[in-house]
Amino acid sequence: MLSNMIIFSGNANESLAKEICQHLNIKLGGALVETFSDRETKVKILENIRRKEVYIIQPTCRPVDHHFMELCIMIDACRRASAKEITAVVPYFGYARGDKKTEPRVPITAKLAMDLIVASGADRIITMDLHAVQIQGFTNKPVDNLFAEPVLIRYIKDNFPLENLGLASTDVGGASRTRSYAKRLNNIGIAIIDKRRPEDNKPEVMNVIGDVKGKTIIEVDDIIDTGGSLVNGAQALMEVGAKEVHAVCTHPVLSGPAIEMINKSVLQSLIVTNTIPLSAEAKACSKIKVVSVSSLIGEAIKCCYTGESVTSLFD
Ligand code: R5P
């Protein structure tokens, strides 16, 4: 049924690519993705892909620029090998936070990243929980923005009684995402953390809007990077009377002091997905649990290939 499909992986998250292949019951395509001695990327596709539908799995996570170049170079190699159609499957789209000019003389890096992927030869992009949904419009190619929500909601339903449970968005921008989660959880209440960021990577909590007293609160966010937003948010929630605080988050970027901060924090658990592989330090953190989005991405790839609706996966 999927005989004209071939999936390749860069080095960013091969285990996710293998899980996706397992879900689709196909073998991961053979490709050499290595570096020359000067660290330039070297790619060779090891099988015939003429007129095949190619899917390249590569989140652009750390080292971001290196993984980004691997993706672009793999797309270029596939285009020159006469693939019929090339889909860049970018479960975590790096540079997405640079989605607008917030001050004079700064780039819009998300637009540049999209331009480079398309210029390399991608015909379509599949991604997940884009930091800003308008990034879909940064190209005229089709972009399928998947949501980890069904997988994270399943975890919440399986592990937390809904009575006395509330959700909290770590900032005003994430409120609609948090509301969408709440809707699937019998419309439980939500709070919004009023956060400001005086400097990059230094979020400060100003206020908590909403009633969290005596409740178990789950913070909802798309990205955990340095951990400041979720950790400071958890502290603020406890200070205004929450009983305990947990968090769900799609992309575990976990850079800088993140793990140390999480370990020392009042946050009781952090549930993330495998869009980005965890470092050894993150794997050793007993508060972090990982749920897999491989079946969801696998189903979305199948829908794209067979022409079925991707939206139906989220109804
Ligand atoms: C911000 O708008 C995002 O949704 C995340 O809250 C943010 O990127 C998390 O970064 P950090 O963990 O460094 O606070």
Side-chain angles (χ1 to χ4, degrees), residues 97 131 170-171 195 197 201 203 221-229:
R97 286 171 284 181
H131 177 65
T170 50
D171 55 27
K195 170 181 93 176
R197 207 181 278 278
N201 294 133
D221 210 343
D222 58 334
I223 297 171
I224 174 162
D225 186 352
T226 60
S229 301

Side-chain angles (χ1 to χ4, degrees), residues 52-247:
K52 292 253 183 202
E53 297 207 14
V54 171
Y55 293 80
I56 301 172
I57 320 273
Q58 178 86 329
T60 48
C61 53
R62 265 186 304 163
V64 179
D65 296 348
H66 181 74
H67 285 150
F68 190 84
M69 280 310 290
E70 273 191 0
L71 172 65
C72 291
I73 293 169
M74 288 182 82
I75 295 171
D76 186 72
C78 291
R79 178 173 55 142
R80 293 175 197 283
S82 302
K84 182 173 166 211
E85 198 173 69
I86 302 168
T87 301
V89 183
V90 190
Y92 167 68
F93 194 101
Y95 286 117
R97 286 171 284 181
D99 64 325
K100 54 180 134 7
K101 279 187 81 166
T102 48
E103 53 184 310
R105 300 186 294 279
V106 296
I108 303 180
T109 341
K111 169 75 168 90
L112 176 65
M114 190 62 96
D115 282 347
L116 292 171
I117 292 171
V118 170
S120 305
D123 298 293
R124 192 197 297 119
I125 291 95
I126 297 178
T127 184
M128 181 166 267
D129 282 329
L130 264 180
H131 177 65
V133 286
Q134 67 270 20
I135 294 171
Q136 287 173 95
F138 287 6
T139 170
N140 288 331
K141 301 285 182 190
V143 178
D144 288 303
N145 181 28
L146 313 178
F147 306 104
E149 188 178 302
V151 174
L152 292 168
I153 290 280
R154 171 57 40 221
Y155 183 94
I156 294 174
K157 284 187 171 164
D158 289 348
N159 291 279
F160 296 92
L162 289 188
E163 310 78 66
N164 215 30
L165 188 68
L167 301 179
S169 171
T170 50
D171 55 27
V172 177
S176 61
R177 180 187 308 113
T178 308
R179 260 190 220 107
S180 165
Y181 274 67
K183 212 164 131 195
R184 288 178 181 243
L185 294 167
N186 292 352
N187 281 312
I188 57 174
I190 73 164
I192 296 170
I193 296 164
D194 173 21
K195 170 181 93 176
R196 64 167 196 167
R197 207 181 278 278
E199 271 177 68
D200 284 346
N201 294 133
K202 295 241 166 9
E204 268 176 22
V205 173
M206 306 298 288
N207 219 337
V208 174
I209 307 160
D211 179 25
V212 300
K213 270 205 184 71
K215 290 188 185 175
T216 296
I217 300 293
I218 302 181
E219 294 183 280
V220 180
D221 210 343
D222 58 334
I223 297 171
I224 174 162
D225 186 352
T226 60
S229 301
L230 285 174
V231 164
N232 297 347
Q235 184 64 37
L237 289 162
M238 290 300 286
E239 280 166 15
V240 293
K243 186 170 146 238
E244 56 186 78
V245 183
H246 303 257

